[in-house]
Amino acid sequence: MNWNEEYRRWNEFDALDEALRDQLNAMQGQDEAMEDAFYKNLEFGTGGMRGKLGPGTNRMNIYTVRRAAEGLAYYLENKGNEWLQKGVAVAYDSRYMSQQFAVEVARVLGRHDIPTYVFSSLRPTPELSFAVRHLRAAAGIVITASHNPPEYNGFKVYNEDGGQMPPAQANEVIHYVNQIENELMIPVIDQSSLEAKKLLTWIDDEVDEAYLEQLKTIQLHSLASGKLAEDLSIVFSPLHGTATHLVEKGLQQIGFEHVHVLAEQAKPDPEFSTVASPNPEEHQAFEMAIAKGKEVNADILLATDPDADRLGVAVPTEAGEYTVLTGNQTGALMLDYILSQQQLPDNAIMIKTIVTSEFGRIIAEHYNIDTLDTLTGFKFIGEKIRQFEQSGDHQFMFGYEESYGYLVKDFARDKDAVQAAVLAAEMAAYWKAQGKTLLEALEQLYERHGYFLEGLQSMKMEGKAGAEKIEHIMNDFRTNPLTEAGGLQVIAVEDYSTSTRQYVHDDSTEQIDLPQANVLKFILEDDCWFCLRPSGTEPKIKFYYGVKSGERHMSEARLQSVKASVKERI
């Protein structure tokens, strides 16, 4: 069907949800908006789906949520009755419609006699990952759009190991989702009947307590529970999301007494009313935390995104201001701290993504630790942890990505800002004992290993026209690749859509042992690089940059030059 036919199908559905009917009526005469809402089905990809709230096949609403849940039900039925009986764990964040969507999932799964275990109030994404493992569930779902604007929501799917489904599993679910022809006609059971039949169980404190018990294992150094923990001043903001309870409890468990939670941002708020964007990657999200930090002379500022899988860190400078660390910088500090504070097994390994700084690899080499690269997305890190657990080939030590995602201990299998917040506080206490701030500890790493600097640029391109522009940019860089950038020669081009690496000097090609993805990475001389990747969750194309030299000013100049070359080409 074209978008007009899809719109008519919805408009002529007599039992359409009343709120969606009102929104549909309000769209009359807005052809561009209506086309964008109906020109395709909201894509259910390898990480689930994410989109704007509202009526339409290309929007998040009760019908598209039911379609996704129905596809998961078919997937579990195909795996056998034992899997159905394990049930599905469900969590949700502070966004509009999140709790209702969670109940809609239960209403669909209940029709298939699949029990659901739904948190009675909002919870962090990493706790859902943990809950799947703790409850021995067959799968998990989180209703969240992470740090997207307020008009978005999403549906993330987890496998029985508590990790986001890797491509092979996700493709099976996608197959079943795509077979559903009419999302409006999916049958559901009412909530009271589900509860009476014990097909809907509300979960709460038991999982919290089990998670917090595991969180104690994060502690690496006794300083964290001594006087330094008592003296360390921490400012924490959950950015109107889900992290308040677990982060507060986690810090208290190891002795941190001076934790100043930003009251204005501690209350769940689907409008995220005190920030332009609830994303700790954006420095504006720290404005209130910085003001509070100056007031209480804080040693470290922590901020989590709404579903608490990303952590931002800000630290004081000599001038009395605060600077927000990048995800690469925080990851490097955490990695060095973890590897320096314990006896390391011979088969230890660190995992990062292909767009994460090479700084981590150099730090790992310093401790004689292997590094494994994965595609962008923590599902690939979680998949590798599971493989290592089964094979015994490697012992996972740390995993991270540049977009503020870290995993310290594998009792969760997704990036975990609660774990990261506790580790960051302990790390700040440790370095304070050495007479250093985290910024000075970072400078020490640069002096030892070289000045690795990174950059990220995003271009937002919404709607059908935007998707076409993104496709055009990727195709153009593939067919007419740059031969130099910022005065640095291109050594090789890695095209992950074909899993190939092509060297420029002799035109030779070799295979890359990673799944296929729409990503291009240009390897430049002197350990520099840049990468193009359309976002899998937002209408954006992202440009990643990484440079290195022996001096800060040279790295800064290289970074600006490479960025300028790519921008000029675009």
Side-chain angles (χ1 to χ4, degrees):
M1 295 184 186
N2 61 36
W3 72 266
N4 281 293
E5 292 170 321
E6 290 284 32
Y7 160 73
R8 280 196 296 272
R9 180 170 66 86
W10 273 57
N11 194 43
E12 294 169 2
F13 182 55
D14 291 338
L16 191 71
D17 175 80
E18 289 184 13
L20 291 174
R21 171 75 68 192
D22 291 341
Q23 293 174 55
L24 200 60
N25 290 337
M27 292 169 64
Q28 296 293 334
Q30 303 175 41
D31 284 359
E32 186 176 342
M34 289 173 65
E35 179 181 9
D36 191 49
F38 286 98
Y39 84 95
K40 67 173 183 176
N41 286 326
L42 185 60
E43 184 176 350
F44 192 97
T46 56
M49 63 184 187
R50 189 180 298 183
K52 290 182 178 180
L53 292 159
T57 57
N58 189 34
R59 294 288 184 263
M60 283 290 297
N61 50 64
I62 61 171
Y63 301 109
T64 52
V65 167
R66 288 175 184 177
R67 181 173 181 263
E70 185 83 342
L72 179 63
Y74 290 149
Y75 165 81
L76 294 175
E77 284 182 333
N78 188 60
K79 290 173 74 69
N81 190 55
E82 180 184 349
W83 284 85
L84 297 181
Q85 293 175 357
K86 287 175 178 288
V88 176
V90 182
Y92 54 91
D93 69 5
S94 56
R95 290 179 175 274
Y96 290 115
M97 305 292 292
S98 283
Q99 187 177 43
Q100 182 176 347
F101 288 164
V103 173
E104 290 297 329
V105 168
R107 297 181 70 198
V108 172
L109 296 180
R111 283 277 303 181
H112 297 262
D113 290 326
I114 301 172
T116 53
Y117 305 94
V118 184
F119 280 101
S120 59
S121 58
L122 53 83
R123 289 296 190 284
T125 287
E127 189 176 3
L128 182 279
S129 172
F130 172 80
V132 172
R133 297 171 58 79
H134 179 71
L135 299 170
R136 302 183 184 276
I141 293 168
V142 183
I143 305 298
T144 179
S146 189
H147 55 272
N148 279 56
E151 64 269 23
Y152 282 79
N153 212 329
F155 181 109
K156 290 169 68 174
V157 186
Y158 289 75
N159 64 14
E160 69 279 8
D161 191 52
Q164 291 186 54
M165 283 189 173
Q169 282 183 313
N171 286 337
E172 289 186 58
V173 178
I174 292 167
H175 166 74
Y176 289 113
V177 172
N178 290 340
Q179 284 187 330
I180 299 166
E181 295 182 356
N182 191 343
E183 69 286 343
L184 300 176
M185 300 301 293
I186 295 170
V188 295
I189 297 179
D190 66 87
Q191 181 178 330
S192 59
S193 296
L194 288 173
E195 291 170 340
K197 295 178 180 179
K198 300 193 183 303
L199 288 171
L200 170 56
T201 300
W202 297 98
I203 55 177
D204 210 331
D205 294 345
E206 177 205 337
V207 181
D208 293 347
E209 291 167 5
Y211 177 90
L212 287 166
E213 192 63 29
Q214 288 295 318
L215 194 61
K216 294 176 182 177
T217 66
I218 296 297
Q219 186 174 346
L220 291 171
H221 203 290
S222 59
L223 286 172
S225 57
K227 187 175 184 300
L228 275 170
E230 297 173 8
D231 291 345
L232 195 78
S233 179
I234 302 168
V235 169
F236 168 59
S237 170
L239 295 178
H240 301 293
T242 62
T244 305
H245 174 69
L246 290 183
V247 170
E248 277 193 289
K249 288 290 185 182
L251 292 171
Q252 288 171 6
Q253 284 184 160
I254 57 174
F256 292 104
E257 297 181 359
H258 301 293
V259 180
H260 307 274
V261 179
L262 278 178
E264 302 92 331
Q265 295 179 338
K267 182 180 179 180
D269 175 8
E271 281 296 320
F272 311 113
S273 53
T274 66
V275 290
S277 169
N279 184 359
E281 293 181 78
E282 305 288 344
H283 290 194
Q284 56 78 28
F286 273 90
E287 287 178 1
M288 295 184 75
I290 288 172
K292 186 68 174 179
K294 291 179 178 179
E295 177 188 328
V296 300
N297 194 28
D299 298 294
I300 187 169
L301 316 180
L302 306 171
T304 53
D305 68 343
D307 69 323
D309 62 357
R310 299 170 193 253
L311 175 77
V313 175
V315 292
T317 66
E318 288 184 359
E321 298 297 323
Y322 286 89
T323 186
V324 181
L325 301 179
T326 69
N328 283 309
Q329 291 172 332
T330 300
L333 282 164
M334 287 181 172
L335 177 64
D336 181 74
Y337 181 70
I338 289 168
L339 299 183
S340 67
Q341 296 300 311
Q342 58 187 305
Q343 184 70 37
L344 300 172
D346 293 338
N347 62 346
I349 195 166
M350 181 274 287
I351 310 176
K352 70 176 190 66
T353 71
I354 60 172
V355 297
T356 300
S357 173
E358 291 297 292
F359 198 11
R361 188 188 310 278
I362 298 301
I363 292 170
E365 286 179 0
H366 178 76
Y367 294 97
N368 297 314
I369 298 301
D370 290 335
T371 297
L372 178 71
D373 285 312
T374 71
L375 291 177
T376 306
F378 232 85
K379 57 180 170 286
F380 297 109
I381 294 177
E383 182 183 29
K384 288 298 178 184
I385 293 171
R386 185 180 191 182
Q387 290 174 5
F388 296 153
E389 189 176 59
Q390 292 170 342
S391 69
D393 291 341
H394 294 285
Q395 176 66 46
F396 171 76
M397 301 304 298
F398 185 60
Y400 76 112
E401 57 186 7
E402 44 67 47
S403 55
Y404 289 58
Y406 321 96
L407 182 62
V408 185
K409 295 283 188 177
D410 62 7
F411 58 82
R413 295 295 165 93
D414 200 357
K415 52 186 178 285
D416 188 339
V418 181
Q419 289 191 31
V422 172
L423 181 71
E426 178 182 330
M427 191 167 63
Y430 170 82
W431 283 111
K432 187 174 182 178
Q434 318 305 312
K436 291 183 171 64
T437 65
L438 286 179
L439 205 58
E440 291 168 329
L442 179 64
E443 184 65 24
Q444 183 174 294
L445 286 177
Y446 282 141
E447 290 173 358
R448 180 190 299 164
H449 301 295
Y451 285 87
F452 289 80
L453 298 182
E454 296 77 34
L456 171 65
Q457 294 175 320
S458 294
M459 295 176 64
K460 191 173 186 178
M461 299 179 180
E462 294 189 298
K464 183 180 180 182
E468 290 171 351
K469 288 178 182 178
I470 290 172
E471 183 179 3
H472 174 72
I473 291 171
M474 293 299 294
N475 288 341
D476 189 60
F477 270 84
R478 280 194 171 96
T479 55
N480 303 292
L482 289 175
T483 58
E484 65 90 26
L488 298 169
Q489 296 300 308
V490 174
I491 303 299
V493 180
E494 297 178 344
D495 189 344
Y496 289 86
S497 70
T498 56
S499 297
T500 56
R501 179 183 297 110
Q502 185 167 10
Y503 291 95
V504 173
H505 71 285
D506 62 1
D507 206 31
S508 62
T509 302
E510 64 184 23
Q511 288 299 118
I512 300 172
D513 186 23
L514 286 174
Q516 293 183 349
N518 187 18
V519 180
L520 275 174
K521 187 172 184 179
F522 289 76
I523 310 301
L524 310 175
E525 60 184 321
D526 291 348
D527 298 319
C528 302
W529 56 273
F530 71 90
C531 182
L532 293 74
R533 184 183 75 88
S535 172
T537 56
E538 301 172 86
K540 291 180 178 180
I541 181 170
K542 295 184 176 183
F543 301 86
Y544 303 82
Y545 305 90
V547 300
K548 177 202 172 186
S549 76
E551 299 179 6
R552 179 182 292 276
H553 75 274
M554 184 181 292
S555 289
E556 289 173 345
R558 279 185 166 178
L559 183 59
Q560 294 307 313
S561 294
V562 174
K563 280 184 176 181
S565 292
V566 176
K567 184 177 180 181
E568 181 181 357
R569 169 60 181 273
I570 296 167

PDB file of all heavy atoms in Angstrom, residues 191-211:
ATOM      1  N   GLN A 191      -5.966  -6.346  31.275  1.00  0.00           N
ATOM      2  CA  GLN A 191      -4.966  -6.438  32.340  1.00  0.00           C
ATOM      3  C   GLN A 191      -5.449  -7.256  33.532  1.00  0.00           C
ATOM      4  O   GLN A 191      -4.699  -8.079  34.079  1.00  0.00           O
ATOM      5  CB  GLN A 191      -4.579  -5.031  32.800  1.00  0.00           C
ATOM      6  CG  GLN A 191      -3.518  -5.014  33.891  1.00  0.00           C
ATOM      7  CD  GLN A 191      -3.119  -3.604  34.286  1.00  0.00           C
ATOM      8  OE1 GLN A 191      -3.160  -2.688  33.479  1.00  0.00           O
ATOM      9  NE2 GLN A 191      -2.738  -3.422  35.545  1.00  0.00           N
ATOM     10  N   SER A 192      -6.694  -7.051  33.952  1.00  0.00           N
ATOM     11  CA  SER A 192      -7.192  -7.770  35.133  1.00  0.00           C
ATOM     12  C   SER A 192      -7.225  -9.274  34.902  1.00  0.00           C
ATOM     13  O   SER A 192      -6.907 -10.058  35.812  1.00  0.00           O
ATOM     14  CB  SER A 192      -8.580  -7.267  35.513  1.00  0.00           C
ATOM     15  OG  SER A 192      -9.496  -7.442  34.442  1.00  0.00           O
ATOM     16  N   SER A 193      -7.574  -9.708  33.693  1.00  0.00           N
ATOM     17  CA  SER A 193      -7.576 -11.137  33.376  1.00  0.00           C
ATOM     18  C   SER A 193      -6.160 -11.697  33.391  1.00  0.00           C
ATOM     19  O   SER A 193      -5.926 -12.818  33.864  1.00  0.00           O
ATOM     20  CB  SER A 193      -8.222 -11.384  32.011  1.00  0.00           C
ATOM     21  OG  SER A 193      -9.579 -11.008  32.014  1.00  0.00           O
ATOM     22  N   LEU A 194      -5.220 -10.927  32.898  1.00  0.00           N
ATOM     23  CA  LEU A 194      -3.816 -11.358  32.921  1.00  0.00           C
ATOM     24  C   LEU A 194      -3.343 -11.584  34.355  1.00  0.00           C
ATOM     25  O   LEU A 194      -2.689 -12.580  34.661  1.00  0.00           O
ATOM     26  CB  LEU A 194      -2.923 -10.309  32.256  1.00  0.00           C
ATOM     27  CG  LEU A 194      -2.994 -10.153  30.738  1.00  0.00           C
ATOM     28  CD1 LEU A 194      -2.173  -8.947  30.306  1.00  0.00           C
ATOM     29  CD2 LEU A 194      -2.497 -11.406  30.030  1.00  0.00           C
ATOM     30  N   GLU A 195      -3.663 -10.644  35.222  1.00  0.00           N
ATOM     31  CA  GLU A 195      -3.236 -10.751  36.615  1.00  0.00           C
ATOM     32  C   GLU A 195      -3.904 -11.939  37.297  1.00  0.00           C
ATOM     33  O   GLU A 195      -3.263 -12.668  38.070  1.00  0.00           O
ATOM     34  CB  GLU A 195      -3.560  -9.449  37.344  1.00  0.00           C
ATOM     35  CG  GLU A 195      -2.706  -8.276  36.875  1.00  0.00           C
ATOM     36  CD  GLU A 195      -3.182  -6.933  37.404  1.00  0.00           C
ATOM     37  OE1 GLU A 195      -4.358  -6.834  37.807  1.00  0.00           O
ATOM     38  OE2 GLU A 195      -2.381  -5.989  37.418  1.00  0.00           O
ATOM     39  N   ALA A 196      -5.186 -12.156  36.994  1.00  0.00           N
ATOM     40  CA  ALA A 196      -5.908 -13.279  37.599  1.00  0.00           C
ATOM     41  C   ALA A 196      -5.327 -14.622  37.158  1.00  0.00           C
ATOM     42  O   ALA A 196      -5.280 -15.576  37.953  1.00  0.00           O
ATOM     43  CB  ALA A 196      -7.391 -13.201  37.235  1.00  0.00           C
ATOM     44  N   LYS A 197      -4.863 -14.692  35.912  1.00  0.00           N
ATOM     45  CA  LYS A 197      -4.300 -15.934  35.377  1.00  0.00           C
ATOM     46  C   LYS A 197      -2.803 -16.057  35.657  1.00  0.00           C
ATOM     47  O   LYS A 197      -2.154 -17.000  35.194  1.00  0.00           O
ATOM     48  CB  LYS A 197      -4.528 -15.997  33.865  1.00  0.00           C
ATOM     49  CG  LYS A 197      -5.987 -16.089  33.452  1.00  0.00           C
ATOM     50  CD  LYS A 197      -6.116 -16.100  31.933  1.00  0.00           C
ATOM     51  CE  LYS A 197      -7.567 -16.195  31.485  1.00  0.00           C
ATOM     52  NZ  LYS A 197      -7.705 -16.180  30.006  1.00  0.00           N
ATOM     53  N   LYS A 198      -2.254 -15.078  36.399  1.00  0.00           N
ATOM     54  CA  LYS A 198      -0.818 -15.032  36.720  1.00  0.00           C
ATOM     55  C   LYS A 198       0.048 -14.988  35.455  1.00  0.00           C
ATOM     56  O   LYS A 198       1.173 -15.498  35.425  1.00  0.00           O
ATOM     57  CB  LYS A 198      -0.414 -16.212  37.608  1.00  0.00           C
ATOM     58  CG  LYS A 198      -1.159 -16.242  38.943  1.00  0.00           C
ATOM     59  CD  LYS A 198      -0.535 -17.208  39.914  1.00  0.00           C
ATOM     60  CE  LYS A 198      -1.326 -17.283  41.215  1.00  0.00           C
ATOM     61  NZ  LYS A 198      -1.466 -15.966  41.866  1.00  0.00           N
ATOM     62  N   LEU A 199      -0.504 -14.371  34.418  1.00  0.00           N
ATOM     63  CA  LEU A 199       0.274 -14.115  33.205  1.00  0.00           C
ATOM     64  C   LEU A 199       0.919 -12.737  33.238  1.00  0.00           C
ATOM     65  O   LEU A 199       1.706 -12.389  32.375  1.00  0.00           O
ATOM     66  CB  LEU A 199      -0.622 -14.238  31.964  1.00  0.00           C
ATOM     67  CG  LEU A 199      -1.049 -15.660  31.609  1.00  0.00           C
ATOM     68  CD1 LEU A 199      -2.115 -15.643  30.510  1.00  0.00           C
ATOM     69  CD2 LEU A 199       0.163 -16.492  31.173  1.00  0.00           C
ATOM     70  N   LEU A 200       0.564 -11.945  34.245  1.00  0.00           N
ATOM     71  CA  LEU A 200       1.217 -10.657  34.490  1.00  0.00           C
ATOM     72  C   LEU A 200       1.595 -10.588  35.960  1.00  0.00           C
ATOM     73  O   LEU A 200       0.732 -10.599  36.843  1.00  0.00           O
ATOM     74  CB  LEU A 200       0.288  -9.496  34.124  1.00  0.00           C
ATOM     75  CG  LEU A 200       0.753  -8.085  34.544  1.00  0.00           C
ATOM     76  CD1 LEU A 200       2.140  -7.768  33.994  1.00  0.00           C
ATOM     77  CD2 LEU A 200      -0.264  -7.033  34.083  1.00  0.00           C
ATOM     78  N   THR A 201       2.898 -10.544  36.224  1.00  0.00           N
ATOM     79  CA  THR A 201       3.415 -10.448  37.587  1.00  0.00           C
ATOM     80  C   THR A 201       4.186  -9.142  37.717  1.00  0.00           C
ATOM     81  O   THR A 201       5.058  -8.841  36.882  1.00  0.00           O
ATOM     82  CB  THR A 201       4.351 -11.631  37.908  1.00  0.00           C
ATOM     83  OG1 THR A 201       3.623 -12.849  37.766  1.00  0.00           O
ATOM     84  CG2 THR A 201       4.907 -11.521  39.314  1.00  0.00           C
ATOM     85  N   TRP A 202       3.871  -8.376  38.751  1.00  0.00           N
ATOM     86  CA  TRP A 202       4.584  -7.118  38.985  1.00  0.00           C
ATOM     87  C   TRP A 202       5.807  -7.398  39.852  1.00  0.00           C
ATOM     88  O   TRP A 202       5.713  -8.041  40.875  1.00  0.00           O
ATOM     89  CB  TRP A 202       3.664  -6.111  39.677  1.00  0.00           C
ATOM     90  CG  TRP A 202       2.486  -5.749  38.822  1.00  0.00           C
ATOM     91  CD1 TRP A 202       1.237  -6.264  38.900  1.00  0.00           C
ATOM     92  CD2 TRP A 202       2.479  -4.815  37.737  1.00  0.00           C
ATOM     93  NE1 TRP A 202       0.427  -5.706  37.937  1.00  0.00           N
ATOM     94  CE2 TRP A 202       1.164  -4.807  37.209  1.00  0.00           C
ATOM     95  CE3 TRP A 202       3.435  -3.975  37.155  1.00  0.00           C
ATOM     96  CZ2 TRP A 202       0.784  -4.004  36.141  1.00  0.00           C
ATOM     97  CZ3 TRP A 202       3.049  -3.167  36.091  1.00  0.00           C
ATOM     98  CH2 TRP A 202       1.754  -3.185  35.589  1.00  0.00           C
ATOM     99  N   ILE A 203       6.967  -6.945  39.410  1.00  0.00           N
ATOM    100  CA  ILE A 203       8.216  -7.178  40.145  1.00  0.00           C
ATOM    101  C   ILE A 203       8.739  -5.851  40.687  1.00  0.00           C
ATOM    102  O   ILE A 203       8.455  -4.787  40.145  1.00  0.00           O
ATOM    103  CB  ILE A 203       9.274  -7.875  39.277  1.00  0.00           C
ATOM    104  CG1 ILE A 203       9.535  -7.090  37.980  1.00  0.00           C
ATOM    105  CG2 ILE A 203       8.838  -9.299  38.957  1.00  0.00           C
ATOM    106  CD1 ILE A 203      10.627  -7.685  37.111  1.00  0.00           C
ATOM    107  N   ASP A 204       9.534  -5.970  41.764  1.00  0.00           N
ATOM    108  CA  ASP A 204       9.944  -4.730  42.416  1.00  0.00           C
ATOM    109  C   ASP A 204      11.216  -4.930  43.233  1.00  0.00           C
ATOM    110  O   ASP A 204      12.294  -5.161  42.691  1.00  0.00           O
ATOM    111  CB  ASP A 204       8.811  -4.230  43.307  1.00  0.00           C
ATOM    112  CG  ASP A 204       8.811  -2.703  43.432  1.00  0.00           C
ATOM    113  OD1 ASP A 204       9.889  -2.115  43.339  1.00  0.00           O
ATOM    114  OD2 ASP A 204       7.736  -2.128  43.618  1.00  0.00           O
ATOM    115  N   ASP A 205      11.087  -4.906  44.574  1.00  0.00           N
ATOM    116  CA  ASP A 205      12.239  -4.832  45.472  1.00  0.00           C
ATOM    117  C   ASP A 205      13.187  -6.022  45.352  1.00  0.00           C
ATOM    118  O   ASP A 205      14.401  -5.862  45.511  1.00  0.00           O
ATOM    119  CB  ASP A 205      11.764  -4.718  46.918  1.00  0.00           C
ATOM    120  CG  ASP A 205      11.034  -3.412  47.189  1.00  0.00           C
ATOM    121  OD1 ASP A 205      11.164  -2.505  46.351  1.00  0.00           O
ATOM    122  OD2 ASP A 205      10.345  -3.309  48.209  1.00  0.00           O
ATOM    123  N   GLU A 206      12.662  -7.212  45.092  1.00  0.00           N
ATOM    124  CA  GLU A 206      13.519  -8.401  45.057  1.00  0.00           C
ATOM    125  C   GLU A 206      14.629  -8.246  44.020  1.00  0.00           C
ATOM    126  O   GLU A 206      15.796  -8.536  44.287  1.00  0.00           O
ATOM    127  CB  GLU A 206      12.689  -9.648  44.726  1.00  0.00           C
ATOM    128  CG  GLU A 206      13.538 -10.916  44.603  1.00  0.00           C
ATOM    129  CD  GLU A 206      12.898 -11.989  43.729  1.00  0.00           C
ATOM    130  OE1 GLU A 206      11.661 -11.965  43.582  1.00  0.00           O
ATOM    131  OE2 GLU A 206      13.649 -12.821  43.207  1.00  0.00           O
ATOM    132  N   VAL A 207      14.263  -7.758  42.841  1.00  0.00           N
ATOM    133  CA  VAL A 207      15.262  -7.584  41.782  1.00  0.00           C
ATOM    134  C   VAL A 207      16.206  -6.441  42.130  1.00  0.00           C
ATOM    135  O   VAL A 207      17.420  -6.523  41.900  1.00  0.00           O
ATOM    136  CB  VAL A 207      14.582  -7.361  40.422  1.00  0.00           C
ATOM    137  CG1 VAL A 207      15.634  -7.195  39.318  1.00  0.00           C
ATOM    138  CG2 VAL A 207      13.663  -8.533  40.074  1.00  0.00           C
ATOM    139  N   ASP A 208      15.663  -5.352  42.689  1.00  0.00           N
ATOM    140  CA  ASP A 208      16.514  -4.233  43.117  1.00  0.00           C
ATOM    141  C   ASP A 208      17.599  -4.709  44.088  1.00  0.00           C
ATOM    142  O   ASP A 208      18.784  -4.374  43.942  1.00  0.00           O
ATOM    143  CB  ASP A 208      15.685  -3.158  43.827  1.00  0.00           C
ATOM    144  CG  ASP A 208      14.709  -2.447  42.912  1.00  0.00           C
ATOM    145  OD1 ASP A 208      14.828  -2.607  41.690  1.00  0.00           O
ATOM    146  OD2 ASP A 208      13.833  -1.739  43.435  1.00  0.00           O
ATOM    147  N   GLU A 209      17.173  -5.463  45.086  1.00  0.00           N
ATOM    148  CA  GLU A 209      18.112  -5.916  46.115  1.00  0.00           C
ATOM    149  C   GLU A 209      19.165  -6.854  45.543  1.00  0.00           C
ATOM    150  O   GLU A 209      20.345  -6.786  45.923  1.00  0.00           O
ATOM    151  CB  GLU A 209      17.336  -6.589  47.248  1.00  0.00           C
ATOM    152  CG  GLU A 209      16.492  -5.603  48.065  1.00  0.00           C
ATOM    153  CD  GLU A 209      15.488  -6.283  48.972  1.00  0.00           C
ATOM    154  OE1 GLU A 209      15.521  -7.542  49.038  1.00  0.00           O
ATOM    155  OE2 GLU A 209      14.676  -5.589  49.606  1.00  0.00           O
ATOM    156  N   ALA A 210      18.745  -7.729  44.638  1.00  0.00           N
ATOM    157  CA  ALA A 210      19.707  -8.646  44.018  1.00  0.00           C
ATOM    158  C   ALA A 210      20.717  -7.886  43.166  1.00  0.00           C
ATOM    159  O   ALA A 210      21.914  -8.195  43.172  1.00  0.00           O
ATOM    160  CB  ALA A 210      18.962  -9.681  43.175  1.00  0.00           C
ATOM    161  N   TYR A 211      20.238  -6.875  42.438  1.00  0.00           N
ATOM    162  CA  TYR A 211      21.139  -6.060  41.620  1.00  0.00           C
ATOM    163  C   TYR A 211      22.125  -5.304  42.509  1.00  0.00           C
ATOM    164  O   TYR A 211      23.338  -5.273  42.231  1.00  0.00           O
ATOM    165  CB  TYR A 211      20.329  -5.085  40.766  1.00  0.00           C
ATOM    166  CG  TYR A 211      21.188  -4.144  39.945  1.00  0.00           C
ATOM    167  CD1 TYR A 211      21.600  -4.483  38.666  1.00  0.00           C
ATOM    168  CD2 TYR A 211      21.613  -2.924  40.475  1.00  0.00           C
ATOM    169  CE1 TYR A 211      22.412  -3.619  37.926  1.00  0.00           C
ATOM    170  CE2 TYR A 211      22.408  -2.060  39.749  1.00  0.00           C
ATOM    171  CZ  TYR A 211      22.805  -2.423  38.472  1.00  0.00           C
ATOM    172  OH  TYR A 211      23.617  -1.575  37.749  1.00  0.00           O
TER     173      TYR A 211
END
